[in-house]
């Protein structure tokens, strides 16, 4: 049996991403003086292909090429690999969803075809162009990255094509020219009064850190405090007239297969009183975060024998207790929550030890932002809608390959910090196949720490590390490890992560639904995120969460 390195561990069922070789670098032809002409010529060939004209697919796509599609070719997310797969999609897909036309989007300078680097170091150059997409069901956006094929005389071919459906014909968003007038001038005897009209009109639903339709103001802090974000949510809901019910819990739910709709019963506190409401939606979205219920290692012996001040999962950690100078805190787990809690304990006078059972990916917050996000999600980057296209357009397998070089650069900049951590006995990794935070987040949903101060405390020995040993048992005032060593503890926090999102669905909607839906997060066979924002296995039920596609 081949042992999987800790860096490659993923959530159950998640597939390892396909290995990607970047296109060969060619110097057969000079750089194009007119990127728009290059992009236009390629689009003419592609449109000829989808309209049935005689066009050779190998003249348009590299042998190792990718078409990532979100809802244009089917009602699902796909990454199609290679010309033969792409042509089979174009010739054999559902006629209602078939792409009809791709056009250049020349509406802003950032969208116009341009020569740009494909890889991190800029060794591989290509032409990038934003696209308008037409399908038989609606309109969307897209992006193509063209490179010269070193194996075919330097011809310009697609390395990556991306398409996404954004508007359904006849169901366009009520924004810009389609937004409501707000006032109906003139005399209309018998119409609703002003307050009644506002109540009716407010009963609408609107849909990365900016919220849709209403960006944070330019003076907004880079890292938003939680209370400030909560206040923004209130402002946002009022400005967009969202019908938000707080202090509301779901008491029962049933799905009618014949009627294709739900019956939901909720208990809502309104004006100081409880009221029961029954709803009949066609769709229910669970947006409770991409993690599920807390994972607590209840199999450890002796948990009930602990006589210290606190033994909890990190989700129930409410902060260090006052006047506890010299108390001993043990945090089991070395990812974001574990580090934050350890730092909090240290700053309140505790003696702190973190138990690290395997390895952790560590990146400094500053270098992560400067290397991974600069030029896309940054002050100098494009509008958020265009940044999203740039980000989503890269298939996950390609993104992971590109992130290998990003991760090497972040590690170079973080070298003093990483050496300090290793000197303190802290085990490090670089994520699956060296692809860093990006791949680890999507493959596992954890196993990393974005450093905001705790790593330096570990390097300086102010937070101690117990590494590489499983807990054998919990004692009244200590922990015993598999190697026989013992660690005193007044408080123990298990920062041991969370279960799959479907377990939260089980808690809210019951076993019947939870057993029917598929596991959430990690990669499927095509490298797409499993189940999230896609069909779940239960009609009318959807999972929304996380920040990446």
């Amino acid at each position: 049996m081949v042992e999987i390195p800790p860096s490659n561990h993923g959530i159950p069922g998640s597939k390892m991403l396909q290995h990607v070789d970047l296109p060969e670098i060619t110097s057969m032809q000079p750089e194009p003086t007119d990127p728009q002409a290059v992009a236009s010529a390629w689009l003419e060939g592609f449109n000829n292909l989808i309209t049935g004209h005689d066009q050779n697919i190998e003249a348009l796509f590299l042998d190792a090429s990718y078409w990532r599609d979100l809802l244009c070719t089917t009602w699902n997310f796909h990454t199609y690999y290679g010309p033969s797969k792409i042509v089979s999609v174009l010739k054999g897909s559902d006629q209602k969803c078939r792409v009809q036309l791709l056009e250049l989007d020349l509406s802003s300078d950032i969208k116009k075809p341009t020569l740009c680097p494909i890889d991190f170091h800029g060794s591989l150059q290509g032409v990038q162009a934003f696209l308008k997409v037409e399908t038989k069901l609606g309109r969307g956006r897209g992006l193509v990255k063209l490179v010269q094929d070193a194996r075919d005389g330097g011809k310009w071919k697609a390395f990556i094509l991306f398409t996404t459906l954004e508007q359904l014909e006849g169901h366009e968003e009520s924004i810009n020219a389609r937004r409501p007038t707000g006032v109906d001038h003139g005399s209309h005897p018998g119409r609703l009064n002003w307050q009644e009209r506002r109540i009716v009109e407010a009963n609408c639903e609107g849909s990365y850190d900016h919220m849709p339709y209403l960006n944070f103001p330019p003076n907004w802090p880079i890292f938003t405090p939680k209370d400030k974000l909560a206040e923004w949510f209130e402002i946002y809901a009022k400005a967009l007239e969202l019908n938000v019910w707080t202090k509301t819990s779901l008491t029962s739910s049933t799905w009618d297969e014949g009627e294709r709709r739900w019956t939901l019963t909720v208990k809502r506190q309104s004006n100081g009183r409880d009221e029961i409401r029954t709803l009949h939606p066609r769709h229910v979205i669970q947006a409770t975060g991409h993690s599920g219920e807390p994972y607590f290692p209840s199999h450890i012996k002796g948990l009930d024998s602990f006589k210290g001040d606190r033994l909890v999962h990190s989700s129930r950690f409410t902060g260090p207790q006052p006047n506890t100078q010299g108390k001993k805190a043990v945090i089991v787990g070395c990812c974001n929550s574990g580090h934050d809690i350890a730092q909090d304990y240290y700053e309140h006078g505790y003696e702190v030890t973190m138990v690290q059972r395997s390895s952790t990916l560590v990146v400094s917050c500053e270098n992560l932002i400067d290397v991974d996000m600069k030029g896309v999600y940054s002050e100098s980057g494009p509008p958020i809608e265009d940044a999203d296209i740039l980000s989503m357009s890269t298939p996950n397998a390609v993104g992971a390959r590109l992130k290998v070089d990003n991760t090497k650069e972040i590690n170079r900049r973080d070298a003093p910090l990483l050496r300090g951590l290793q000197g303190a006995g802290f085990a490090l990794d670089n994520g699956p196949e060296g692809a860093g935070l990006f791949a680890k987040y999507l493959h596992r949903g954890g196993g990393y720490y974005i450093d905001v101060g705790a790593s330096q405390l570990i390097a300086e020995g102010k937070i101690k590390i117990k590494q590489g040993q499983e807990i054998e048992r919990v004692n009244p005032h200590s922990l015993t490890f598999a190697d026989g060593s013992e660690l005193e503890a007044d408080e123990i926090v298990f920062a041991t992560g969370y279960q799959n999102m479907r377990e939260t669905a089980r808690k809210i909607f019951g076993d019947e639904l939870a057993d029917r839906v598929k596991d959430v997060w990690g990669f499927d066979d095509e490298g797409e995120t499993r189940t999230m924002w896609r069909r779940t296995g239960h009609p009318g039920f959807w999972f929304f969460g996380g920040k990446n596609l």
Side-chain angles (χ1 to χ4, degrees), residues 295-297 300 303 306 309-321 328-335 337-342 344-345 350 352-357 471 474 479 487 489-498:
Y295 173 73
F296 188 84
I300 296 177
L303 288 169
F306 187 65
D309 300 327
R310 170 161 47 190
L311 189 156
V312 296
H313 186 269
S314 57
S315 60
R316 297 184 177 274
F317 177 71
T318 57
Q321 300 182 45
K328 294 179 172 61
V330 176
I331 298 89
V332 182
C334 284
C335 300
S337 296
H339 279 82
D340 291 344
I341 291 169
D344 198 6
Y345 269 130
Y350 284 73
V352 186
T353 301
M354 299 181 73
V355 177
Q356 185 193 35
R357 294 159 295 163
I471 299 169
V474 175
L479 296 165
L487 184 63
D490 296 300
E491 299 187 24
I492 303 172
V493 178
F494 285 93
T496 44
Y498 295 84

Side-chain angles (χ1 to χ4, degrees), residues 172-348:
E172 291 83 359
E173 294 173 287
S174 298
I175 60 174
N176 301 324
R178 295 187 180 90
R179 67 188 187 274
T181 57
V183 176
D184 192 6
H185 295 289
S187 175
H188 300 273
R191 69 175 170 178
L192 298 174
N193 64 40
W194 178 87
Q195 186 178 27
E196 290 170 330
R197 294 201 306 275
R198 292 307 298 163
I199 291 172
V200 173
E201 291 166 2
N203 208 10
C204 64
E205 182 178 359
S207 36
Y208 218 72
D209 290 279
H210 283 296
M211 306 287 281
Y213 312 115
L214 189 64
N215 287 357
F216 294 131
N219 66 329
W220 200 258
I222 295 173
F223 303 105
T224 306
K226 62 179 178 62
D227 292 340
K228 190 176 183 69
L229 184 60
E231 292 171 352
W232 178 257
F233 285 160
E234 293 181 347
I235 294 169
Y236 184 85
K238 289 179 181 178
L240 272 70
E241 299 180 317
L242 303 182
N243 194 4
V244 178
W245 289 3
T246 58
K247 299 180 180 178
T248 303
S249 57
L250 181 70
T251 59
S252 68
S253 63
T254 57
W255 168 256
D256 189 317
E257 292 281 1
E259 295 290 331
R260 309 290 289 180
R261 71 175 187 175
W262 291 90
T263 296
L264 307 178
T265 304
V266 300
K267 183 170 72 173
R268 180 190 182 202
Q269 191 176 99
S270 179
N271 298 320
R273 305 172 112 183
D274 286 344
E275 63 178 25
I276 304 299
R277 302 290 292 269
T278 301
L279 310 172
H280 297 284
R282 295 285 183 185
H283 299 274
V284 169
I285 297 169
Q286 180 181 319
T288 54
H290 90 266
S291 297
E293 296 302 291
Y295 173 73
F296 188 84
S298 55
H299 64 280
I300 296 177
K301 301 174 184 176
L303 288 169
D304 293 337
S305 70
F306 187 65
K307 304 298 183 184
D309 300 327
R310 170 161 47 190
L311 189 156
V312 296
H313 186 269
S314 57
S315 60
R316 297 184 177 274
F317 177 71
T318 57
Q321 300 182 45
N323 305 315
T324 50
Q325 195 77 22
K327 289 272 191 177
K328 294 179 172 61
V330 176
I331 298 89
V332 182
C334 284
C335 300
N336 275 330
S337 296
H339 279 82
D340 291 344
I341 291 169
Q343 184 172 350
D344 198 6
Y345 269 130
Y346 171 79
E347 291 172 351
H348 285 81

Side-chain angles (χ1 to χ4, degrees), residues 305-421:
S305 70
F306 187 65
K307 304 298 183 184
D309 300 327
R310 170 161 47 190
L311 189 156
V312 296
H313 186 269
S314 57
S315 60
R316 297 184 177 274
F317 177 71
T318 57
Q321 300 182 45
N323 305 315
T324 50
Q325 195 77 22
K327 289 272 191 177
K328 294 179 172 61
V330 176
I331 298 89
V332 182
C334 284
C335 300
N336 275 330
S337 296
H339 279 82
D340 291 344
I341 291 169
Q343 184 172 350
D344 198 6
Y345 269 130
Y346 171 79
E347 291 172 351
H348 285 81
Y350 284 73
E351 295 180 18
V352 186
T353 301
M354 299 181 73
V355 177
Q356 185 193 35
R357 294 159 295 163
S358 57
S359 60
T360 308
L361 183 147
V362 176
V363 295
S364 68
C365 185
E366 299 82 6
N367 288 327
L368 176 65
I369 292 172
D370 195 48
V371 174
D372 252 14
M373 299 182 182
K374 189 174 183 179
V376 181
Y377 294 110
S378 63
E379 294 295 328
S380 60
I384 190 72
E385 295 82 5
D386 297 335
D388 284 344
I389 294 293
L390 289 168
S391 177
M392 291 189 300
S393 67
T394 305
N396 286 324
V398 178
R401 169 60 186 87
L402 296 175
K403 294 297 184 183
V404 170
D405 293 327
N406 291 47
T407 301
K408 289 178 181 178
E409 175 59 19
I410 293 173
N411 286 349
R412 185 189 68 79
R413 298 186 187 192
D414 284 342
L417 180 65
L418 300 180
R419 284 196 298 267
L421 287 171

